[in-house]
Amino acid sequence: MKKYNVGIIGATGMVGQRFITLLADHPWFNIVLLAASPRSAGKKYTEAVDGRWAMKTEIPEKVRDMVMYDATADIEKIAAQVDFVFCAVDMKKDEIRALEEAYAKAECPVVSNNSAHRHTKDVPMIIPEINPEHAEIIEAQKKRLGTKRGFVSVKSNCSLQSYVPAIHPLMQFGVKNVLACTYQAISGAGKTFETWPEMVDNLIPYIGGEEDKSEVEPLKIWGKISGDEIVDATAPAITTQCLRVPVSDGHTAAVFVSFEKKPTIDEIKKAWKEFKGVPQEIELPSAPKQFLNYFEEDNRPQAKLDRDMEGGMAVSIGRLREDSQYDYKFVCLSHNTLRGAAGGAVLMAELLAAKGYFDR
């Protein structure tokens, strides 16, 4: 695979920092520039994140002295130096939509971690193991934008990265209803216990906008391309509750599922064990070898023990059993800043690179 020069837009935030750690030694993607808000522009990266570096590893040597660009004012300069950009900015949604389309119109593809374009009908929202075919809508998007190679692709919300992958192999049995209660780590809010001491020994039963995303976004992922847009699926019916819990990393979901044709427990476990997607088939660099991992122990998965499985890119499942109101219930876990955020976006970029979408 050829090497692609990439930029990271929003490089000073927690997801931007995670992009840097994942891409510092990536076999396909070479970081050549970093950008953020005007207050960071012109500073070396170490100066821009002074006191704010939240990763457990040191700042990679290759980016320490990179001089920051202005993500908004320097679009043309950035587009001229990269094959595509990763985007994880902290702005209002309408500003993000405008910014990402401005990069696309400058013929710079955008792989976005932001939510602003998730409901844009010709923007693919891809979990690579589940709906890689949605990349085909990019041609319709480029036609709308009037671009030759510029486009926007997005990853889905971190909250559904635990339970949607677990449900997907079970769709063959006709999933009717889903109840998912998610218990979400503080890093999903861009926080650590040092910056958010109020979360120690605490639980907050509300995360703004999260339940709507968790109920609606899976239907786009399971939707179909029709003409120049992605049409959402009409089933299953999904209801969620999302809680913030005192965990550093790792979103856990308690899931309840009803089926048109109820499978056996053995059939469900078999479907999970045997499931592979395109990333596994073509061996993308960030793809976990075993995407879905089932634990037989009653006390697993646990965030502290299992969130880093296969570099944080695998999904863990446990406690599958029959339920008195739904057919079955089980527990899932995914690493929210890896599989759920930057890592999921890197895997999506690998898929798009393998399909030639970044080629000139």
Side-chain angles (χ1 to χ4, degrees):
M1 175 62 68
K2 62 175 285 189
K3 276 269 192 178
Y4 295 89
N5 289 330
V6 305
I8 300 172
I9 312 303
T12 56
M14 183 173 282
V15 176
Q17 293 176 25
R18 182 67 80 178
F19 273 128
I20 286 173
T21 63
L22 292 175
L23 297 172
D25 298 306
H26 195 279
W28 296 1
F29 305 146
N30 177 42
I31 304 172
V32 296
L33 62 83
L34 305 173
S37 66
R39 65 178 176 272
S40 296
K43 296 180 181 178
K44 291 182 178 180
Y45 185 69
T46 50
E47 298 169 345
V49 295
D50 185 36
R52 293 195 292 152
W53 181 255
M55 300 295 103
K56 295 175 183 176
T57 56
E58 294 293 319
I59 300 173
E61 192 65 35
K62 71 178 297 180
V63 305
R64 292 180 64 86
D65 294 330
M66 280 190 178
V67 177
M68 300 289 296
Y69 284 81
D70 185 323
T72 304
D74 295 332
I75 292 174
E76 294 294 335
K77 293 179 184 177
I78 293 168
Q81 298 179 62
V82 300
D83 294 304
F84 69 96
V85 295
F86 291 97
C87 189
V89 295
D90 183 13
M91 300 164 65
K92 294 178 181 178
K93 282 191 177 182
D94 58 341
E95 295 174 344
I96 295 173
R97 279 193 290 268
L99 180 71
E100 291 180 343
E101 288 203 354
Y103 275 94
K105 288 178 179 178
E107 300 295 355
C108 178
V110 178
V111 176
S112 176
N113 189 74
N114 304 303
S115 64
H117 270 298
R118 288 179 189 157
H119 298 298
T120 304
K121 292 294 187 180
D122 59 8
V123 171
M125 180 169 63
I126 297 173
I127 298 177
E129 286 90 348
I130 295 177
N131 61 333
E133 72 281 359
H134 281 196
E136 295 170 11
I137 200 66
I138 287 171
E139 294 307 317
Q141 184 193 149
K142 289 194 292 188
K143 183 178 179 182
R144 173 176 65 84
L145 295 175
T147 60
K148 293 181 178 179
R149 62 182 299 272
F151 63 88
V152 179
S153 61
V154 299
K155 59 158 291 298
S156 59
N157 194 49
C158 58
S159 66
L160 53 87
Q161 299 286 329
S162 55
Y163 62 89
V164 167
I167 292 169
H168 182 68
L170 310 182
M171 296 290 275
Q172 61 183 301
F173 304 113
V175 178
K176 290 193 303 181
N177 298 295
V178 175
L179 164 61
C181 296
T182 59
Y183 304 87
Q184 301 184 203
I186 62 173
S187 56
K191 303 286 189 178
T192 64
F193 286 117
E194 289 73 26
T195 61
W196 201 5
E198 298 86 354
M199 274 306 301
V200 176
D201 192 30
N202 195 17
L203 181 153
I204 299 175
Y206 173 73
I207 305 172
E210 204 75 358
E211 287 158 3
D212 180 61
K213 295 173 186 175
S214 300
E215 294 171 358
V216 174
E217 289 183 18
L219 298 178
K220 182 174 182 179
I221 291 166
W222 285 318
K224 302 293 182 185
I225 294 176
S226 178
D228 291 341
E229 65 181 32
I230 298 169
V231 178
D232 290 357
T234 56
I238 305 171
T239 185
T240 65
Q241 287 204 105
C242 301
L243 296 80
R244 188 72 71 193
V245 295
V247 173
S248 58
D249 295 299
H251 287 357
T252 299
V255 185
F256 302 76
V257 184
S258 292
F259 297 92
E260 297 282 355
K261 185 180 72 172
K262 183 179 177 180
T264 66
I265 284 179
D266 286 343
E267 285 175 325
I268 293 175
K269 290 181 180 179
K270 185 173 184 285
W272 285 335
K273 184 177 182 179
E274 294 181 353
F275 180 73
K276 291 183 178 181
V278 170
Q280 287 73 38
E281 292 168 358
I282 64 175
E283 299 181 344
L284 295 177
S286 299
K289 288 182 172 59
Q290 181 64 40
F291 181 33
L292 305 176
N293 298 266
Y294 185 79
F295 287 92
E296 295 290 349
E297 299 93 330
D298 288 338
N299 64 347
R300 305 283 288 277
Q302 294 181 27
K304 200 167 187 177
L305 297 178
D306 304 312
R307 61 192 170 203
D308 292 319
M309 183 175 288
E310 297 218 39
M313 293 298 288
V315 173
S316 301
I317 312 169
R319 301 203 67 209
L320 172 65
R321 60 218 189 276
E322 292 198 11
D323 183 65
S324 60
Q325 297 182 43
Y326 289 74
D327 287 331
Y328 291 105
K329 53 191 172 186
F330 51 88
V331 175
C332 306
L333 168 72
S334 64
H335 196 303
N336 57 295
T337 70
L338 290 168
R339 167 58 72 165
V346 171
L347 185 62
M348 177 170 59
E350 291 169 1
L351 175 73
L352 295 173
K355 290 179 175 288
Y357 283 98
F358 302 136
D359 295 344
R360 294 180 179 273

